[in-house]
């Protein structure tokens, strides 16, 4: 019996053994401790975290120290310490194990792991990998089985020296319990484990949740959510009641073990199969958890149900009849032995549109053996489902019926597409509404009014397609059409053509300069327009002989304009001009070879525009003032016309002055003034406008 249990536990413990070895090799050996508060005591469970520490601790034993940290909510300054294990905790003598081995298989497994001369899980494994692992890693196997058994049986834990209950404690008091192995440090240092708790940490064990049961023929499958309680319960009792839920008994001789391992559960739910004597009886199930201290939690909610007699009967569609190419009569048979379980039939038909079977008629009488489809499609795949009173369904094999079909599909609609920079064309269109659409064919052309060529390849079964085109050519557009086909290969009309603009990777031709000349108004540049059809604008650039970089002078968006008069010029300065064309994709032509010209202004400096006067009639004084921001002025010259006579220079004023006073007499009837600026290089500004004084 012991070997049988060990064989059952192989799948549960080989992984634990490997993980324990890995954990032990990565970290220092140590003691892991868990604690539990009852209403009157503190229970402690511990285990070494490596096979070597376990083997040494079995020899030297464990000691448990209690430290009182706080009392009535106050931390103690000098907390008392005491060893509370009356004797060194180590595995009990074999004679004490033998008393309990017949009633607890986990005690027997732990005893074999601790005291057995060999630890082979079977005498006849042959080349089984488990046999190889056990012989190569016997210490790891002993450790894994011993710790696992202590987790499943509190008696095994007590006999293994891995359990202690402290009843000499006070309420409203917090304790730290330290468990350490009595192994001399020079042999192997083993870290001490500890846990912190008091009686106020007592909590009732929670019930197991999400218990469900599914029934089949003389079988019940009980499942429950074990992930929520995996840190509380390590095994479970599944209990059944045959008397309406009054009395429950376990369905197994041993608890169902929680096989979760590591930080995350392997699966959320646990399952247990139960053989039930009768399909005509209602059975009730509940689940109770068992924690690492052997305490059994409260029962879960009760679930119930009855077995279902085996329903293994299928219909067989044996033939059909087509009426006027408009209706289809489906005929079938069903085994007489299954009629007593039969509740109804359902007829399903495959849809090419959704790629699924859908019900076209439900609740067909169990006595019926034929059904007329009043609205069949051109191509029909039928499946007949036999349904029993428990909701189970058994389907027939698909059965094909085809009508004569010469009606083409409707014209495809909604074709759209985009072209990326490397010539990949992504096309989509609306799915045709017909159910017998087999697929689509795609056609394309570089010209709207030329023949469309079929895109090679198999028929397109979806409403999308990726095409590739050459974008490095002179045609700017490409056109597509789609045609739909049904399963009889009846073609639809072509869709309306889709026009797409190819990505432009060819820059436009540049314009050509015709003439450049200067006059008093500025510099006039004329050119011939770019001959490329996709030109969007022309850009004119300028650079003076005093500037290192080109500057954009004008963006000419009107493609009919072929000249520009540059008036923003500086006297005695040479200017160079160049030009590029930009197409509607933003590509730029090469720049034109620059042309240059020096501009000399006959009146290079602007006239003084801000010229004012104020008159004082009592003093017969006219006060002139002006503003002029141009630099390098050497003097201002003031001219005067009196009573209609010609203008004469009457005063020169230094550039630091911007006003001048003049006198008039009672005989003066009309006075006019003009002013010009004289510059260091000898140039003169233009005359200002005439300033007429109203006397």
């Amino acid at each position: 019996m012991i070997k049988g249990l060990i064989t059952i536990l192989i799948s549960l413990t080989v992984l634990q053994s490997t993980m324990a070895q890995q954990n032990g090799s990565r970290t220092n050996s140590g003691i892991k401790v868990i604690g539990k508060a009852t209403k009157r005591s503190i229970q402690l469970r511990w285990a070494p975290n490596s096979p070597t520490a376990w083997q040494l601790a079995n020899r030297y034993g464990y000691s448990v120290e209690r430290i009182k940290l706080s009392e009535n909510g106050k931390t103690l300054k000098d907390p008392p310490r005491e060893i509370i294990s009356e004797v060194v905790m180590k595995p009990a003598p074999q004679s004490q194990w033998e008393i309990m081995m017949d009633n607890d298989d986990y005690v027997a497994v732990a005893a074999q792991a601790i005291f057995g001369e060999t630890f082979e899980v079977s005498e006849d494994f042959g080349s089984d990998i488990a046999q190889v692992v056990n012989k190569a890693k016997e210490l790891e196997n002993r450790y894994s089985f011993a710790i696992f058994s202590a987790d499943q049986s509190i008696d095994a834990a007590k006999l293994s020296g891995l359990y202690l209950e402290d009843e000499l404690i006070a309420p409203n008091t917090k304790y730290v319990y330290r468990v350490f192995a009595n192994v001399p440090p020079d042999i192997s240092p083993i870290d001490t484990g500890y846990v912190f708790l008091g009686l106020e940490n007592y909590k009732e064990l929670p019930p197991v949740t999400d218990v469900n049961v599914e029934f089949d023929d003389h079988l019940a499958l009980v499942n429950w959510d074990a992930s929520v309680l995996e840190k509380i319960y390590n095994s479970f009792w599944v209990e059944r009641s045959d008397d309406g839920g009054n009395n429950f008994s376990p369905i197994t001789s041993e608890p169902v073990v929680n096989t979760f391992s590591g930080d995350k559960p392997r699966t959320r739910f646990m399952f247990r199969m139960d053989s039930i004597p009768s399909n005509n009886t209602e059975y009730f199930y509940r689940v109770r958890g068992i924690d690492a201290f052997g305490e059994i939690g409260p029962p879960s909610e009760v679930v119930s149900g009855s077995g279902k007699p085996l329903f293994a009967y299928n219909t067989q569609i044996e033939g059909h009849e087509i009426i006027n190419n408009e209706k289809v009569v489906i005929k079938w048979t069903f085994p007489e032995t299954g009629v007593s379980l039969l509740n109804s039939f359902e007829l399903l038909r495959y849809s090419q549109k959704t790629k699924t079977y859908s019900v076209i008629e439900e609740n067909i009488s169990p006595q019926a053996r034929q059904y007329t489809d009043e609205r069949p499609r051109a191509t029909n795949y039928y499946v007949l489902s036999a349904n029993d009173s428990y909701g189970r369904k058994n389907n027939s094999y698909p059965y094909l019926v085809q009508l004569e079909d010469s009606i083409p599909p409707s014209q495809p609609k909604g074709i759209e597409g985009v072209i990326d920079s490397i010539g990949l064309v992504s096309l989509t269109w609306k799915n045709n509404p017909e159910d017998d659409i087999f697929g689509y064919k795609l056609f394309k052309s570089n010209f709207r009014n030329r023949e469309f060529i079929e895109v090679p390849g198999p028929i397109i079964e979806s409403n999308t397609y990726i095409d590739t085109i050459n974008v490095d050519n002179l045609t700017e557009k490409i056109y597509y059409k789609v045609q739909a086909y049904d399963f009889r290969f009846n073609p639809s009309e072509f869709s309306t053509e889709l026009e797409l603009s190819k990505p432009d990777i060819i820059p436009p031709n540049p314009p050509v300069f015709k003439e450049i000349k200067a006059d008093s108004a500025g510099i006039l540049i004329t050119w011939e327009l770019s001959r490329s059809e996709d030109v969007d604008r022309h850009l004119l650039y300028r650079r003076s002989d005093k500037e290192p970089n080109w500057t954009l002078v004008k963006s000419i968006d009107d493609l009919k304009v072929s000249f520009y008069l540059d008036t923003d010029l500086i006297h005695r300065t040479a200017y160079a001009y160049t030009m590029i064309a930009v197409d509607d994709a933003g590509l730029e032509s090469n720049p034109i070879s620059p042309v240059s010209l020096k501009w000399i202004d006959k009146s290079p400096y602007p006239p003084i525009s801000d010229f004012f006067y104020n008159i004082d009639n009592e003093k017969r004084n006219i006060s002139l003032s002006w503003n002029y921001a141009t630099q390098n002025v050497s003097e201002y010259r003031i001219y005067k016309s009196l009573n209609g006579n010609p203008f004469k220079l009457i005063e020169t004023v230094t550039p630091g002055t911007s006003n001048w006073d003049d006198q008039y007499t009672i005989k003066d009837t009309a006075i006019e003034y003009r002013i010009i600026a004289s510059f260091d290089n000898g140039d003169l500004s233009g005359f200002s406008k005439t300033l007429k004084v109203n006397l």
Side-chain angles (χ1 to χ4, degrees), residues 456-645:
I459 196 163
I460 304 167
E461 297 184 1
S462 67
N463 64 330
T464 62
Y465 189 79
I466 304 296
D467 190 26
T468 57
I469 62 172
N470 182 12
V471 296
D472 189 10
N473 56 35
L474 297 178
T475 58
E476 297 181 3
K477 306 287 186 180
I478 190 165
Y479 301 87
Y480 286 95
K481 291 181 180 180
V482 176
Q483 192 173 38
Y485 288 81
D486 63 16
F487 277 89
R488 299 297 180 88
F489 279 89
N490 296 312
S492 71
E493 295 182 21
F494 284 107
S495 69
T496 56
E497 66 269 7
L498 170 67
E499 179 186 270
L500 294 176
S501 297
K502 295 180 181 179
D504 193 352
I505 62 172
I506 301 176
N509 294 319
V512 177
F513 280 135
K514 292 174 62 178
E515 185 179 14
I516 180 170
K517 64 181 181 179
D519 58 20
S520 60
I523 296 178
L524 179 66
I525 308 103
T526 61
W527 60 85
E528 290 184 1
L529 300 172
S530 170
R531 296 183 179 182
S532 298
E533 295 181 357
D534 59 347
V535 169
D536 182 66
R537 61 192 182 277
H538 295 87
L539 302 179
L540 179 65
Y541 290 87
R542 185 187 74 183
R543 183 178 66 188
S544 74
D545 56 6
K546 300 179 178 61
E547 295 174 324
N549 299 316
W550 293 93
T551 302
L552 177 64
V553 175
K554 182 69 174 178
S555 175
I556 301 100
D557 299 330
D558 188 344
L559 299 180
K560 295 180 180 180
V561 174
S562 59
F563 68 90
Y564 180 74
L565 178 62
D566 189 6
T567 60
D568 185 16
L569 304 171
I570 299 175
H571 180 53
R572 299 181 186 277
T573 302
Y575 294 94
Y577 296 88
T578 187
M579 201 170 193
I580 64 172
V582 182
D583 66 15
D584 53 13
L587 299 177
E588 298 180 350
S589 71
N590 292 325
I592 307 175
S593 297
V595 295
S596 60
L597 188 66
K598 187 173 184 179
W599 188 69
I600 299 175
D601 192 354
K602 294 180 181 179
S603 180
Y605 298 102
I608 298 172
S609 58
D610 295 337
F611 191 29
F612 312 98
Y613 78 92
N614 283 312
I615 187 168
D616 187 342
N617 290 322
E618 292 182 0
K619 296 180 179 180
R620 291 188 176 87
N621 180 72
I622 299 173
S623 179
L624 301 177
S625 61
W626 58 91
N627 293 316
Y628 194 54
T630 306
Q631 302 296 317
N632 301 321
V633 175
S634 61
E635 62 183 13
Y636 295 102
R637 299 177 183 179
I638 302 173
Y639 293 81
K640 179 178 180 180
S641 171
L642 183 62
N643 300 325
N645 292 314

Side-chain angles (χ1 to χ4, degrees), residues 66-74 76 79-80 169-177 195-202:
R66 182 179 64 204
I67 305 171
K68 184 193 292 186
L69 286 187
S70 65
E71 191 172 21
N72 296 321
K74 296 181 179 180
L76 301 180
I169 55 176
N172 301 320
T173 305
K174 285 284 190 177
Y175 301 92
V176 170
Y177 291 90
V195 67
F196 175 66
L197 73 169
L199 290 178
E200 57 266 37
N201 295 115
Y202 168 75

Side-chain angles (χ1 to χ4, degrees), residues 289-454:
I290 307 172
D291 68 9
F293 297 90
E295 183 178 353
I296 301 176
S300 68
E301 292 185 357
V302 176
V303 293
S304 65
S306 302
K308 304 173 183 179
L310 183 65
F311 184 61
Y313 307 98
N314 295 80
T315 56
Q316 182 176 346
I317 300 177
E318 291 196 330
H320 71 279
E321 179 183 352
I322 299 176
I323 303 175
N324 298 327
N325 203 44
E326 295 178 351
K327 300 179 182 180
V328 174
V329 180
I330 301 297
K331 301 177 181 181
W332 66 86
T333 60
F334 186 80
E336 289 298 323
T337 53
V339 171
S340 61
L341 298 174
L342 185 63
N343 182 59
S344 65
F345 295 104
E346 283 182 349
L347 185 63
L348 300 90
R349 185 174 60 199
Y350 185 77
S351 170
Q352 292 290 338
K353 191 173 185 179
T354 62
K355 307 300 182 184
T356 60
Y357 282 91
S358 57
V359 176
I360 62 173
E361 186 62 38
E362 57 185 358
N363 296 323
I364 300 174
S365 170
Q367 286 75 41
R369 294 297 179 267
Q370 69 177 38
Y371 177 80
T372 301
D373 185 1
E374 302 282 346
R375 301 179 63 183
R377 297 166 182 163
T379 300
N380 305 271
Y381 283 92
Y382 293 104
V383 165
L384 194 66
S385 172
N387 308 329
D388 72 358
S389 56
Y390 297 97
R392 293 175 292 184
K393 300 175 182 289
N394 292 332
N395 292 337
S396 69
Y397 289 108
Y399 185 85
L400 173 64
V401 177
Q402 289 183 309
L403 305 181
E404 294 181 6
D405 182 16
S406 60
I407 301 175
S410 60
Q411 180 189 43
K413 304 289 185 183
I415 181 170
E416 297 178 347
V418 294
I419 306 177
D420 68 10
S421 60
I422 62 173
L424 289 179
V425 186
S426 300
L427 297 165
T428 63
W429 55 89
K430 293 182 180 178
N431 278 314
N432 268 52
E434 295 83 8
D435 291 316
D436 62 341
I437 292 296
F438 178 58
Y440 303 88
K441 283 288 186 179
L442 188 67
F443 299 81
K444 68 180 178 181
S445 173
N446 285 321
F447 304 95
R448 184 189 297 272
N449 298 320
R450 300 282 182 88
E451 181 181 0
F452 279 70
I453 305 301
E454 180 183 333

